[in-house]
């Protein structure tokens, strides 16, 4: 009888161990984002899934939900905080309501070039800002790339601040951009990316400002015929995960998630850099007038100092000065 019990116990232990191993092998994470399947964000998300599968030896499977399938950025961020979505990525302006100091990234003209931006984001400043999101139930994994922002509209060529006056400009919810386009004489209209094409098509808004990768992948060239490479701001993507879900993983799996996210981000950044000239050529073939050489000085004169002051008055000058110092 004792022998039978020992055998039964051994069988039960083996069964539990097998069930545990199976459960580990079937960790499934839902990853949502607004970008369409044609965008580098989706291509990099697939890379992220491949890296994660390899590094965890199939223990973690990433399910991808592009095209705003799980909602707009704010809806998905709320879903990640609440645990109904595991991971999400969207432009940094979408997180400033939770962590206002992130607005520093969106001060117009604060980044000299991409090298400067990457140095800030991947260093102490950027990682500190990700850490601040943890109090909101979000684990910041990595910064990916949206890019330097360009201005498009359906009315006329834009080469100077006066050309923006009176235009209804779609912006995101970020107060830095709302203030900037107000100073330029435009009428900012915040709305999600998922609503933008229809708003432009119906002339509910005249203009928008996104990096050219989004301009192409979202087919905005179909409803916008004037594109100016103003490079008035740089926007990173922030990839976040539900913090409780992340904390529940083993240290080894946590590191695999972080490493995979960063590697996929580096891959996507390079994709965007490589694709820019080709995109400019393609939108021209679609009938868009592209103005590449823009004198930024008149735009800076109108908005840079005032928007910086707005941030500094609220949060101090420390972050701004540290970012400026890294441009040297």
């Amino acid at each position: 009888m004792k022998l039978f019990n020992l055998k039964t116990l051994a069988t039960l232990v083996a069964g539990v161990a097998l069930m545990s191993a199976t459960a580990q092998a079937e960790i499934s994470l839902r990853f949502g984002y607004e970008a369409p399947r044609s965008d580098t964000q989706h291509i990099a998300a697939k890379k992220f899934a491949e890296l994660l599968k390899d590094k965890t030896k199939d223990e973690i499977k990433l399910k991808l939900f592009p095209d705003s399938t799980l909602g707009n950025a704010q809806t998905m961020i709320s879903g990640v905080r609440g645990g109904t979505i595991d991971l999400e990525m969207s432009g940094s302006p979408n997180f400033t309501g939770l962590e206002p100091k992130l607005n520093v990234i969106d001060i117009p003209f604060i980044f000299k070039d991409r090298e400067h931006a990457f140095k800030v984001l991947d260093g102490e400043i950027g990682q500190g800002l990700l850490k601040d999101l943890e109090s909101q139930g979000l684990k910041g994994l990595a910064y990916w790339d949206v890019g330097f922002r360009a201005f498009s509209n359906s009315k006329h060529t834009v080469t100077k601040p006066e050309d923006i006056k009176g235009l209804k400009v779609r912006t995101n919810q970020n107060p830095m951009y709302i203030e900037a386009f107000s100073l330029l004489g435009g009428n900012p209209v915040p709305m999600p990316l998922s609503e933008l094409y229809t708003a432009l098509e119906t002339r509910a808004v005249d203009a928008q400002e996104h990096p050219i990768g989004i301009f192409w992948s979202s087919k905005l060239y179909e409803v916008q015929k004037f594109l100016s490479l103003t490079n008035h701001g740089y926007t990173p993507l922030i990839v976040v995960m539900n913090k409780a879900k992340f904390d529940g993983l083993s240290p080894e799996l946590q590191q695999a998630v972080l490493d995979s996210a960063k590697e996929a981000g580096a891959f996507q950044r390079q994709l965007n850099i490589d694709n820019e000239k080709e995109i400019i050529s393609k939108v021209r073939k679609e009938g868009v007038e592209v103005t590449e050489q823009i004198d930024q000085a008149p735009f800076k004169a109108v908005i840079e100092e005032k928007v910086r002051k707005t941030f500094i008055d609220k949060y101090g000058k420390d972050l701004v000065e540290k970012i400026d110092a890294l441009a040297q």
Side-chain angles (χ1 to χ4, degrees):
M1 189 69 177
K2 288 183 180 180
L3 181 59
F4 174 77
N5 287 339
L6 286 174
K7 285 182 177 179
T8 302
L9 179 62
T11 301
L12 287 171
V13 169
V16 169
L18 180 61
M19 288 173 64
S20 175
T22 302
Q24 281 188 330
E26 294 178 354
I27 295 174
S28 180
L29 302 176
R30 288 164 28 111
F31 184 20
Y33 40 99
E34 290 185 307
R37 295 174 185 275
S38 56
D39 196 86
T40 60
Q41 293 180 36
H42 180 63
I43 296 169
K46 291 195 291 184
K47 181 75 169 178
F48 184 16
E50 291 167 5
L51 288 166
L52 198 51
K53 180 180 179 181
D54 181 61
K55 290 180 186 296
T56 66
K57 296 181 173 57
D58 293 330
E59 284 192 44
I60 295 180
K61 180 180 180 181
L62 206 57
K63 292 185 176 181
L64 308 182
F65 295 87
D67 289 310
S68 300
T69 305
L70 301 181
N72 62 39
Q74 295 302 327
T75 299
M76 286 188 285
I77 291 169
S78 295
V80 174
R81 295 179 70 200
T84 58
I85 302 172
D86 301 303
L87 296 97
E88 188 269 351
M89 65 174 164
S90 52
S92 58
N94 293 295
F95 294 90
T96 57
L98 298 174
E99 179 42 67
K101 284 191 293 183
L102 274 165
N103 279 305
V104 72
I105 295 172
D106 300 299
I107 294 174
F109 306 109
I110 196 165
F111 293 120
K112 178 182 176 182
D113 50 30
R114 264 194 169 94
E115 182 181 357
H116 179 206
F118 296 163
K119 189 186 299 184
V120 169
L121 297 171
D122 296 340
E124 178 184 348
I125 297 169
Q127 297 309 300
L129 291 170
L130 289 186
K131 183 73 174 175
D132 290 341
L133 287 172
E134 293 186 9
S135 64
Q136 301 297 330
L138 298 172
K139 174 65 179 180
L141 303 180
Y143 291 101
W144 292 11
D145 185 71
V146 183
F148 276 94
R149 304 181 81 87
F151 187 89
S152 73
N153 77 103
S154 58
K155 301 284 189 180
H156 51 246
T157 304
V158 169
T159 59
K160 55 188 183 300
E162 293 81 4
D163 297 330
I164 293 176
K165 188 174 182 179
L167 294 177
K168 291 176 288 185
V169 185
R170 179 274 176 188
T171 67
N172 49 46
Q173 298 285 347
N174 187 279
M176 300 291 100
Y177 286 114
I178 292 172
E179 181 182 8
F181 283 100
S182 295
L183 289 168
L184 290 167
N187 299 314
V189 182
M191 70 173 62
L193 176 61
S194 57
E195 299 175 14
L196 178 56
Y197 185 98
T198 300
L200 293 169
E201 185 178 36
T202 60
R203 301 299 175 92
V205 294
D206 307 305
Q208 65 85 46
E209 46 86 44
H210 270 103
I212 59 173
I214 296 290
F215 185 82
W216 175 255
S217 65
S218 297
K219 299 185 177 181
L220 302 183
Y221 55 84
E222 295 179 348
V223 288
Q224 297 275 271
K225 293 306 174 187
F226 301 92
L227 177 66
S228 298
L229 306 189
T230 49
N231 291 345
H232 53 275
Y234 173 81
T235 300
L237 283 168
I238 300 182
V239 181
V240 294
M241 183 172 175
N242 175 270
K243 187 174 184 301
K245 184 76 123 179
F246 180 85
D247 290 345
L249 298 175
S250 69
E252 293 78 16
L253 292 182
Q254 288 180 358
Q255 195 59 51
V257 170
L258 290 169
D259 291 346
S260 298
K262 289 174 182 176
E263 286 183 40
F267 168 78
Q268 191 249 356
R269 286 174 176 179
Q270 191 59 51
L271 270 182
N272 280 353
I273 292 168
D274 294 343
N275 287 348
E276 284 183 354
K277 288 185 178 179
E278 182 184 357
I279 289 172
I280 291 170
S281 176
K282 288 192 291 190
V283 297
R284 280 195 168 118
K285 289 178 181 177
E286 294 291 337
V288 177
E289 177 191 292
V290 182
T291 305
E292 293 189 60
Q293 300 302 318
I294 301 289
D295 182 4
Q296 292 183 331
F299 292 90
K300 287 184 177 183
V302 174
I303 64 178
E304 184 177 26
E305 184 177 344
K306 290 181 179 178
V307 179
R308 278 181 172 234
K309 185 177 185 303
T310 296
F311 181 87
I312 290 170
D313 286 349
K314 289 183 178 180
Y315 310 109
K317 62 182 180 179
D318 183 56
L319 280 174
V320 174
E321 289 183 345
K322 284 181 177 180
I323 290 175
D324 286 345
L326 290 172
Q328 307 304 319

